[in-house]
PDB file of all heavy atoms in Angstrom:
ATOM      1  N   ARG A   4      -0.358  29.042   6.020  1.00 59.00           N
ATOM      2  CA  ARG A   4       0.876  28.377   6.393  1.00 59.00           C
ATOM      3  C   ARG A   4       0.931  28.210   7.907  1.00 59.00           C
ATOM      4  O   ARG A   4       1.338  27.171   8.419  1.00 59.00           O
ATOM      5  CB  ARG A   4       2.069  29.193   5.918  1.00 59.00           C
ATOM      6  CG  ARG A   4       3.360  28.487   6.298  1.00 59.00           C
ATOM      7  CD  ARG A   4       4.574  29.135   5.708  1.00 59.00           C
ATOM      8  NE  ARG A   4       5.630  28.151   5.601  1.00 59.00           N
ATOM      9  CZ  ARG A   4       6.806  28.404   5.112  1.00 59.00           C
ATOM     10  NH1 ARG A   4       7.076  29.584   4.636  1.00 59.00           N
ATOM     11  NH2 ARG A   4       7.723  27.466   5.068  1.00 59.00           N
ATOM     12  N   ARG A 212      17.769  19.765   2.318  1.00 94.00           N
ATOM     13  CA  ARG A 212      18.616  20.634   1.504  1.00 94.00           C
ATOM     14  C   ARG A 212      19.572  19.890   0.578  1.00 94.00           C
ATOM     15  O   ARG A 212      20.436  20.523  -0.018  1.00 94.00           O
ATOM     16  CB  ARG A 212      19.439  21.546   2.425  1.00 94.00           C
ATOM     17  CG  ARG A 212      18.631  22.541   3.228  1.00 94.00           C
ATOM     18  CD  ARG A 212      18.201  23.716   2.371  1.00 94.00           C
ATOM     19  NE  ARG A 212      17.645  24.803   3.158  1.00 94.00           N
ATOM     20  CZ  ARG A 212      16.359  24.915   3.465  1.00 94.00           C
ATOM     21  NH1 ARG A 212      15.503  23.995   3.061  1.00 94.00           N
ATOM     22  NH2 ARG A 212      15.926  25.935   4.169  1.00 94.00           N
ATOM     23  N   THR A 213      19.476  18.586   0.520  1.00 96.00           N
ATOM     24  CA  THR A 213      20.359  17.886  -0.413  1.00 96.00           C
ATOM     25  C   THR A 213      19.542  17.099  -1.421  1.00 96.00           C
ATOM     26  O   THR A 213      18.370  16.784  -1.191  1.00 96.00           O
ATOM     27  CB  THR A 213      21.304  16.900   0.299  1.00 96.00           C
ATOM     28  OG1 THR A 213      20.523  15.800   0.783  1.00 96.00           O
ATOM     29  CG2 THR A 213      22.044  17.554   1.455  1.00 96.00           C
ATOM     30  N   VAL A 214      20.170  16.784  -2.524  1.00 97.00           N
ATOM     31  CA  VAL A 214      19.519  16.022  -3.583  1.00 97.00           C
ATOM     32  C   VAL A 214      19.123  14.646  -3.062  1.00 97.00           C
ATOM     33  O   VAL A 214      18.009  14.168  -3.304  1.00 97.00           O
ATOM     34  CB  VAL A 214      20.462  15.903  -4.792  1.00 97.00           C
ATOM     35  CG1 VAL A 214      19.900  14.930  -5.814  1.00 97.00           C
ATOM     36  CG2 VAL A 214      20.675  17.277  -5.418  1.00 97.00           C
ATOM     37  N   TYR A 217      16.081  14.897  -0.906  1.00 97.00           N
ATOM     38  CA  TYR A 217      14.913  15.160  -1.748  1.00 97.00           C
ATOM     39  C   TYR A 217      14.449  13.866  -2.405  1.00 97.00           C
ATOM     40  O   TYR A 217      13.253  13.553  -2.430  1.00 97.00           O
ATOM     41  CB  TYR A 217      15.290  16.208  -2.794  1.00 97.00           C
ATOM     42  CG  TYR A 217      14.237  16.460  -3.840  1.00 97.00           C
ATOM     43  CD1 TYR A 217      13.080  17.163  -3.535  1.00 97.00           C
ATOM     44  CD2 TYR A 217      14.399  15.994  -5.147  1.00 97.00           C
ATOM     45  CE1 TYR A 217      12.116  17.400  -4.492  1.00 97.00           C
ATOM     46  CE2 TYR A 217      13.445  16.223  -6.105  1.00 97.00           C
ATOM     47  CZ  TYR A 217      12.293  16.924  -5.781  1.00 97.00           C
ATOM     48  OH  TYR A 217      11.333  17.144  -6.742  1.00 97.00           O
ATOM     49  N   GLU A 218      15.407  13.096  -2.905  1.00 97.00           N
ATOM     50  CA  GLU A 218      15.026  11.858  -3.586  1.00 97.00           C
ATOM     51  C   GLU A 218      14.437  10.852  -2.599  1.00 97.00           C
ATOM     52  O   GLU A 218      13.504  10.124  -2.928  1.00 97.00           O
ATOM     53  CB  GLU A 218      16.233  11.285  -4.337  1.00 97.00           C
ATOM     54  CG  GLU A 218      16.711  12.246  -5.423  1.00 97.00           C
ATOM     55  CD  GLU A 218      17.641  11.615  -6.441  1.00 97.00           C
ATOM     56  OE1 GLU A 218      18.174  10.528  -6.178  1.00 97.00           O
ATOM     57  OE2 GLU A 218      17.835  12.228  -7.511  1.00 97.00           O
ATOM     58  N   ARG A 220      12.721  11.671   0.109  1.00 96.00           N
ATOM     59  CA  ARG A 220      11.369  12.134   0.469  1.00 96.00           C
ATOM     60  C   ARG A 220      10.380  11.857  -0.648  1.00 96.00           C
ATOM     61  O   ARG A 220       9.267  11.384  -0.397  1.00 96.00           O
ATOM     62  CB  ARG A 220      11.412  13.641   0.775  1.00 96.00           C
ATOM     63  CG  ARG A 220      12.066  13.965   2.110  1.00 96.00           C
ATOM     64  CD  ARG A 220      11.908  15.420   2.479  1.00 96.00           C
ATOM     65  NE  ARG A 220      12.708  16.305   1.639  1.00 96.00           N
ATOM     66  CZ  ARG A 220      12.220  17.271   0.886  1.00 96.00           C
ATOM     67  NH1 ARG A 220      10.921  17.490   0.848  1.00 96.00           N
ATOM     68  NH2 ARG A 220      13.014  18.029   0.163  1.00 96.00           N
ATOM     69  N   ASN A 225       5.719   9.252  -3.065  1.00 94.00           N
ATOM     70  CA  ASN A 225       5.108   8.612  -4.231  1.00 94.00           C
ATOM     71  C   ASN A 225       6.203   8.042  -5.115  1.00 94.00           C
ATOM     72  O   ASN A 225       6.810   8.759  -5.902  1.00 94.00           O
ATOM     73  CB  ASN A 225       4.257   9.626  -5.014  1.00 94.00           C
ATOM     74  CG  ASN A 225       3.618   9.001  -6.252  1.00 94.00           C
ATOM     75  OD1 ASN A 225       3.822   7.830  -6.537  1.00 94.00           O
ATOM     76  ND2 ASN A 225       2.853   9.791  -6.985  1.00 94.00           N
ATOM     77  N   ASP A 227       6.198   6.303  -7.715  1.00 94.00           N
ATOM     78  CA  ASP A 227       5.999   6.450  -9.162  1.00 94.00           C
ATOM     79  C   ASP A 227       6.435   7.835  -9.630  1.00 94.00           C
ATOM     80  O   ASP A 227       7.051   7.985 -10.682  1.00 94.00           O
ATOM     81  CB  ASP A 227       4.525   6.232  -9.528  1.00 94.00           C
ATOM     82  CG  ASP A 227       4.175   4.755  -9.597  1.00 94.00           C
ATOM     83  OD1 ASP A 227       5.104   3.946  -9.751  1.00 94.00           O
ATOM     84  OD2 ASP A 227       2.990   4.420  -9.481  1.00 94.00           O
ATOM     85  N   PHE A 228       6.098   8.845  -8.832  1.00 96.00           N
ATOM     86  CA  PHE A 228       6.498  10.212  -9.155  1.00 96.00           C
ATOM     87  C   PHE A 228       8.027  10.308  -9.181  1.00 96.00           C
ATOM     88  O   PHE A 228       8.606  10.898 -10.097  1.00 96.00           O
ATOM     89  CB  PHE A 228       5.906  11.171  -8.118  1.00 96.00           C
ATOM     90  CG  PHE A 228       6.352  12.598  -8.232  1.00 96.00           C
ATOM     91  CD1 PHE A 228       6.314  13.255  -9.453  1.00 96.00           C
ATOM     92  CD2 PHE A 228       6.794  13.292  -7.116  1.00 96.00           C
ATOM     93  CE1 PHE A 228       6.715  14.586  -9.562  1.00 96.00           C
ATOM     94  CE2 PHE A 228       7.189  14.613  -7.213  1.00 96.00           C
ATOM     95  CZ  PHE A 228       7.159  15.259  -8.438  1.00 96.00           C
ATOM     96  N   ARG A 230      10.191   7.925  -9.707  1.00 95.00           N
ATOM     97  CA  ARG A 230      10.713   7.184 -10.858  1.00 95.00           C
ATOM     98  C   ARG A 230      10.533   8.007 -12.141  1.00 95.00           C
ATOM     99  O   ARG A 230      11.424   8.094 -12.984  1.00 95.00           O
ATOM    100  CB  ARG A 230       9.957   5.863 -10.982  1.00 95.00           C
ATOM    101  CG  ARG A 230      10.762   4.728 -11.568  1.00 95.00           C
ATOM    102  CD  ARG A 230      10.210   3.395 -11.098  1.00 95.00           C
ATOM    103  NE  ARG A 230       8.879   3.113 -11.604  1.00 95.00           N
ATOM    104  CZ  ARG A 230       8.647   2.637 -12.828  1.00 95.00           C
ATOM    105  NH1 ARG A 230       9.634   2.414 -13.660  1.00 95.00           N
ATOM    106  NH2 ARG A 230       7.420   2.384 -13.222  1.00 95.00           N
ATOM    107  N   TYR A 231       9.366   8.616 -12.257  1.00 96.00           N
ATOM    108  CA  TYR A 231       9.051   9.464 -13.416  1.00 96.00           C
ATOM    109  C   TYR A 231      10.066  10.599 -13.538  1.00 96.00           C
ATOM    110  O   TYR A 231      10.435  10.993 -14.635  1.00 96.00           O
ATOM    111  CB  TYR A 231       7.628   9.988 -13.231  1.00 96.00           C
ATOM    112  CG  TYR A 231       7.307  11.300 -13.902  1.00 96.00           C
ATOM    113  CD1 TYR A 231       6.745  11.320 -15.173  1.00 96.00           C
ATOM    114  CD2 TYR A 231       7.533  12.516 -13.253  1.00 96.00           C
ATOM    115  CE1 TYR A 231       6.429  12.519 -15.786  1.00 96.00           C
ATOM    116  CE2 TYR A 231       7.223  13.716 -13.858  1.00 96.00           C
ATOM    117  CZ  TYR A 231       6.678  13.725 -15.128  1.00 96.00           C
ATOM    118  OH  TYR A 231       6.377  14.905 -15.721  1.00 96.00           O
ATOM    119  N   GLY A 232      10.509  11.105 -12.367  1.00 95.00           N
ATOM    120  CA  GLY A 232      11.459  12.211 -12.387  1.00 95.00           C
ATOM    121  C   GLY A 232      12.907  11.771 -12.488  1.00 95.00           C
ATOM    122  O   GLY A 232      13.809  12.590 -12.370  1.00 95.00           O
ATOM    123  N   GLY A 233      13.137  10.467 -12.674  1.00 94.00           N
ATOM    124  CA  GLY A 233      14.497   9.998 -12.879  1.00 94.00           C
ATOM    125  C   GLY A 233      15.229   9.575 -11.616  1.00 94.00           C
ATOM    126  O   GLY A 233      16.445   9.460 -11.608  1.00 94.00           O
ATOM    127  N   ALA A 350     -10.340  23.265  -0.788  1.00 40.00           N
ATOM    128  CA  ALA A 350      -9.376  23.849  -1.710  1.00 40.00           C
ATOM    129  C   ALA A 350      -9.521  23.204  -3.089  1.00 40.00           C
ATOM    130  O   ALA A 350      -9.443  23.869  -4.120  1.00 40.00           O
ATOM    131  CB  ALA A 350      -7.967  23.666  -1.179  1.00 40.00           C
ATOM    132  N   ARG A 352     -12.088  22.071  -4.400  1.00 36.00           N
ATOM    133  CA  ARG A 352     -13.301  22.513  -5.068  1.00 36.00           C
ATOM    134  C   ARG A 352     -13.099  23.910  -5.664  1.00 36.00           C
ATOM    135  O   ARG A 352     -13.663  24.250  -6.660  1.00 36.00           O
ATOM    136  CB  ARG A 352     -14.451  22.531  -4.056  1.00 36.00           C
ATOM    137  CG  ARG A 352     -15.733  21.994  -4.636  1.00 36.00           C
ATOM    138  CD  ARG A 352     -16.796  21.900  -3.558  1.00 36.00           C
ATOM    139  NE  ARG A 352     -16.580  20.774  -2.683  1.00 36.00           N
ATOM    140  CZ  ARG A 352     -16.807  20.814  -1.367  1.00 36.00           C
ATOM    141  NH1 ARG A 352     -17.215  21.912  -0.790  1.00 36.00           N
ATOM    142  NH2 ARG A 352     -16.625  19.737  -0.640  1.00 36.00           N
TER     143      ARG A 352
ATOM    144  N   LEU B 308       9.948   4.519 -18.614  1.00 94.00           N
ATOM    145  CA  LEU B 308       9.285   3.963 -17.438  1.00 94.00           C
ATOM    146  C   LEU B 308       8.925   2.498 -17.638  1.00 94.00           C
ATOM    147  O   LEU B 308       8.764   1.750 -16.686  1.00 94.00           O
ATOM    148  CB  LEU B 308       8.018   4.766 -17.126  1.00 94.00           C
ATOM    149  CG  LEU B 308       8.294   6.182 -16.604  1.00 94.00           C
ATOM    150  CD1 LEU B 308       7.039   7.023 -16.613  1.00 94.00           C
ATOM    151  CD2 LEU B 308       8.878   6.117 -15.212  1.00 94.00           C
ATOM    152  N   VAL B 328      15.511   6.865 -17.207  1.00 96.00           N
ATOM    153  CA  VAL B 328      14.657   8.053 -17.273  1.00 96.00           C
ATOM    154  C   VAL B 328      15.519   9.311 -17.188  1.00 96.00           C
ATOM    155  O   VAL B 328      15.354  10.257 -17.960  1.00 96.00           O
ATOM    156  CB  VAL B 328      13.625   8.041 -16.121  1.00 96.00           C
ATOM    157  CG1 VAL B 328      12.854   9.347 -16.100  1.00 96.00           C
ATOM    158  CG2 VAL B 328      12.680   6.856 -16.266  1.00 96.00           C
ATOM    159  N   ARG B 329      16.449   9.322 -16.235  1.00 95.00           N
ATOM    160  CA  ARG B 329      17.262  10.515 -16.037  1.00 95.00           C
ATOM    161  C   ARG B 329      18.109  10.807 -17.267  1.00 95.00           C
ATOM    162  O   ARG B 329      18.220  11.958 -17.697  1.00 95.00           O
ATOM    163  CB  ARG B 329      18.162  10.339 -14.814  1.00 95.00           C
ATOM    164  CG  ARG B 329      19.085  11.527 -14.588  1.00 95.00           C
ATOM    165  CD  ARG B 329      19.698  11.537 -13.222  1.00 95.00           C
ATOM    166  NE  ARG B 329      18.677  11.681 -12.190  1.00 95.00           N
ATOM    167  CZ  ARG B 329      18.939  11.729 -10.890  1.00 95.00           C
ATOM    168  NH1 ARG B 329      20.180  11.634 -10.464  1.00 95.00           N
ATOM    169  NH2 ARG B 329      17.969  11.855 -10.021  1.00 95.00           N
ATOM    170  N   ARG B 332      15.972  12.322 -19.923  1.00 95.00           N
ATOM    171  CA  ARG B 332      15.660  13.717 -19.643  1.00 95.00           C
ATOM    172  C   ARG B 332      16.874  14.592 -19.927  1.00 95.00           C
ATOM    173  O   ARG B 332      16.749  15.681 -20.476  1.00 95.00           O
ATOM    174  CB  ARG B 332      15.232  13.874 -18.178  1.00 95.00           C
ATOM    175  CG  ARG B 332      13.801  13.405 -17.930  1.00 95.00           C
ATOM    176  CD  ARG B 332      13.427  13.532 -16.451  1.00 95.00           C
ATOM    177  NE  ARG B 332      11.989  13.307 -16.253  1.00 95.00           N
ATOM    178  CZ  ARG B 332      11.062  14.248 -16.351  1.00 95.00           C
ATOM    179  NH1 ARG B 332      11.415  15.487 -16.629  1.00 95.00           N
ATOM    180  NH2 ARG B 332       9.793  13.961 -16.166  1.00 95.00           N
ATOM    181  N   HIS B 338       8.363  15.187 -20.251  1.00 96.00           N
ATOM    182  CA  HIS B 338       7.229  14.259 -20.264  1.00 96.00           C
ATOM    183  C   HIS B 338       6.080  14.846 -19.460  1.00 96.00           C
ATOM    184  O   HIS B 338       6.192  15.019 -18.248  1.00 96.00           O
ATOM    185  CB  HIS B 338       7.700  12.923 -19.671  1.00 96.00           C
ATOM    186  CG  HIS B 338       6.606  11.916 -19.492  1.00 96.00           C
ATOM    187  ND1 HIS B 338       6.744  10.822 -18.671  1.00 96.00           N
ATOM    188  CD2 HIS B 338       5.364  11.826 -20.024  1.00 96.00           C
ATOM    189  CE1 HIS B 338       5.623  10.120 -18.701  1.00 96.00           C
ATOM    190  NE2 HIS B 338       4.770  10.699 -19.511  1.00 96.00           N
ATOM    191  N   ARG B 345      -0.789  10.117 -10.386  1.00 91.00           N
ATOM    192  CA  ARG B 345       0.051   8.940 -10.213  1.00 91.00           C
ATOM    193  C   ARG B 345       1.509   9.240 -10.547  1.00 91.00           C
ATOM    194  O   ARG B 345       2.416   8.856  -9.822  1.00 91.00           O
ATOM    195  CB  ARG B 345      -0.444   7.790 -11.093  1.00 91.00           C
ATOM    196  CG  ARG B 345       0.469   6.596 -10.934  1.00 91.00           C
ATOM    197  CD  ARG B 345       0.023   5.348 -11.598  1.00 91.00           C
ATOM    198  NE  ARG B 345       1.092   4.370 -11.439  1.00 91.00           N
ATOM    199  CZ  ARG B 345       1.236   3.303 -12.198  1.00 91.00           C
ATOM    200  NH1 ARG B 345       0.354   3.062 -13.136  1.00 91.00           N
ATOM    201  NH2 ARG B 345       2.234   2.483 -12.001  1.00 91.00           N
ATOM    202  N   TRP B 346       1.745   9.908 -11.676  1.00 94.00           N
ATOM    203  CA  TRP B 346       3.123  10.107 -12.135  1.00 94.00           C
ATOM    204  C   TRP B 346       3.630  11.516 -11.906  1.00 94.00           C
ATOM    205  O   TRP B 346       4.801  11.729 -11.646  1.00 94.00           O
ATOM    206  CB  TRP B 346       3.218   9.797 -13.639  1.00 94.00           C
ATOM    207  CG  TRP B 346       2.888   8.417 -13.992  1.00 94.00           C
ATOM    208  CD1 TRP B 346       1.737   7.990 -14.607  1.00 94.00           C
ATOM    209  CD2 TRP B 346       3.664   7.243 -13.762  1.00 94.00           C
ATOM    210  NE1 TRP B 346       1.767   6.635 -14.769  1.00 94.00           N
ATOM    211  CE2 TRP B 346       2.934   6.141 -14.272  1.00 94.00           C
ATOM    212  CE3 TRP B 346       4.912   7.010 -13.176  1.00 94.00           C
ATOM    213  CZ2 TRP B 346       3.396   4.848 -14.213  1.00 94.00           C
ATOM    214  CZ3 TRP B 346       5.380   5.710 -13.115  1.00 94.00           C
ATOM    215  CH2 TRP B 346       4.623   4.647 -13.625  1.00 94.00           C
ATOM    216  N   GLY B 347       2.768  12.499 -12.054  1.00 93.00           N
ATOM    217  CA  GLY B 347       3.242  13.868 -12.167  1.00 93.00           C
ATOM    218  C   GLY B 347       3.498  14.580 -10.861  1.00 93.00           C
ATOM    219  O   GLY B 347       4.071  15.660 -10.856  1.00 93.00           O
ATOM    220  N   SER B 348       3.073  13.984  -9.742  1.00 94.00           N
ATOM    221  CA  SER B 348       3.209  14.703  -8.478  1.00 94.00           C
ATOM    222  C   SER B 348       3.075  13.733  -7.317  1.00 94.00           C
ATOM    223  O   SER B 348       2.786  12.560  -7.512  1.00 94.00           O
ATOM    224  CB  SER B 348       2.113  15.770  -8.359  1.00 94.00           C
ATOM    225  OG  SER B 348       0.844  15.146  -8.307  1.00 94.00           O
ATOM    226  N   ASP B 356       8.725  21.537  -4.248  1.00 95.00           N
ATOM    227  CA  ASP B 356       9.364  20.244  -4.499  1.00 95.00           C
ATOM    228  C   ASP B 356       8.789  19.589  -5.750  1.00 95.00           C
ATOM    229  O   ASP B 356       9.500  18.888  -6.491  1.00 95.00           O
ATOM    230  CB  ASP B 356       9.183  19.319  -3.288  1.00 95.00           C
ATOM    231  CG  ASP B 356      10.154  19.672  -2.157  1.00 95.00           C
ATOM    232  OD1 ASP B 356      11.076  20.465  -2.418  1.00 95.00           O
ATOM    233  OD2 ASP B 356       9.967  19.158  -1.047  1.00 95.00           O
ATOM    234  N   MET B 360      11.183  18.491  -9.633  1.00 95.00           N
ATOM    235  CA  MET B 360      11.463  17.116 -10.056  1.00 95.00           C
ATOM    236  C   MET B 360      11.973  17.058 -11.501  1.00 95.00           C
ATOM    237  O   MET B 360      11.444  17.715 -12.380  1.00 95.00           O
ATOM    238  CB  MET B 360      10.183  16.273  -9.906  1.00 95.00           C
ATOM    239  CG  MET B 360      10.363  14.802 -10.199  1.00 95.00           C
ATOM    240  SD  MET B 360      11.694  14.017  -9.266  1.00 95.00           S
ATOM    241  CE  MET B 360      10.829  13.463  -7.791  1.00 95.00           C
ATOM    242  N   HIS B 363      16.306  18.299 -10.761  1.00 94.00           N
ATOM    243  CA  HIS B 363      16.613  18.693  -9.389  1.00 94.00           C
ATOM    244  C   HIS B 363      18.061  18.426  -8.994  1.00 94.00           C
ATOM    245  O   HIS B 363      18.566  19.012  -8.062  1.00 94.00           O
ATOM    246  CB  HIS B 363      15.696  17.945  -8.426  1.00 94.00           C
ATOM    247  CG  HIS B 363      15.843  16.451  -8.521  1.00 94.00           C
ATOM    248  ND1 HIS B 363      15.125  15.686  -9.416  1.00 94.00           N
ATOM    249  CD2 HIS B 363      16.653  15.585  -7.874  1.00 94.00           C
ATOM    250  CE1 HIS B 363      15.479  14.428  -9.297  1.00 94.00           C
ATOM    251  NE2 HIS B 363      16.402  14.332  -8.376  1.00 94.00           N
ATOM    252  N   GLY B 372      25.413  18.045  -5.115  1.00 93.00           N
ATOM    253  CA  GLY B 372      24.489  17.331  -4.231  1.00 93.00           C
ATOM    254  C   GLY B 372      23.736  18.219  -3.266  1.00 93.00           C
ATOM    255  O   GLY B 372      22.880  17.749  -2.542  1.00 93.00           O
ATOM    256  N   ILE B 374      21.141  21.311  -2.542  1.00 95.00           N
ATOM    257  CA  ILE B 374      20.078  22.059  -3.186  1.00 95.00           C
ATOM    258  C   ILE B 374      20.349  23.552  -3.050  1.00 95.00           C
ATOM    259  O   ILE B 374      20.694  24.030  -1.966  1.00 95.00           O
ATOM    260  CB  ILE B 374      18.723  21.711  -2.522  1.00 95.00           C
ATOM    261  CG1 ILE B 374      18.311  20.294  -2.919  1.00 95.00           C
ATOM    262  CG2 ILE B 374      17.662  22.722  -2.904  1.00 95.00           C
ATOM    263  CD1 ILE B 374      17.127  19.784  -2.153  1.00 95.00           C
ATOM    264  N   ARG B 416       6.397  22.758 -15.263  1.00 95.00           N
ATOM    265  CA  ARG B 416       7.651  22.123 -14.877  1.00 95.00           C
ATOM    266  C   ARG B 416       8.321  21.480 -16.089  1.00 95.00           C
ATOM    267  O   ARG B 416       9.515  21.640 -16.323  1.00 95.00           O
ATOM    268  CB  ARG B 416       7.391  21.056 -13.812  1.00 95.00           C
ATOM    269  CG  ARG B 416       8.636  20.247 -13.470  1.00 95.00           C
ATOM    270  CD  ARG B 416       8.302  19.128 -12.515  1.00 95.00           C
ATOM    271  NE  ARG B 416       7.475  18.105 -13.145  1.00 95.00           N
ATOM    272  CZ  ARG B 416       6.564  17.379 -12.509  1.00 95.00           C
ATOM    273  NH1 ARG B 416       6.349  17.559 -11.230  1.00 95.00           N
ATOM    274  NH2 ARG B 416       5.868  16.465 -13.161  1.00 95.00           N
ATOM    275  N   GLU B 417       7.543  20.757 -16.845  1.00 95.00           N
ATOM    276  CA  GLU B 417       8.141  20.029 -17.963  1.00 95.00           C
ATOM    277  C   GLU B 417       8.581  20.956 -19.088  1.00 95.00           C
ATOM    278  O   GLU B 417       9.482  20.622 -19.849  1.00 95.00           O
ATOM    279  CB  GLU B 417       7.146  18.974 -18.478  1.00 95.00           C
ATOM    280  CG  GLU B 417       6.836  17.890 -17.453  1.00 95.00           C
ATOM    281  CD  GLU B 417       8.087  17.184 -16.957  1.00 95.00           C
ATOM    282  OE1 GLU B 417       8.897  16.749 -17.797  1.00 95.00           O
ATOM    283  OE2 GLU B 417       8.264  17.063 -15.727  1.00 95.00           O
TER     284      GLU B 417
END
Side-chain angles (χ1 to χ4, degrees):
Chain A
R4 181 172 205 179
R212 294 283 191 270
T213 70
V214 171
Y217 173 73
E218 297 196 344
R220 286 189 290 121
N225 179 359
D227 280 339
F228 174 49
R230 211 155 66 81
Y231 153 94
R352 222 174 284 142
Chain B
L308 290 167
V328 173
R329 177 165 296 180
R332 283 178 170 273
H338 174 198
R345 178 173 174 200
W346 298 106
S348 64
D356 282 348
M360 185 53 90
H363 60 273
I374 288 171
R416 174 185 68 212
E417 296 304 310

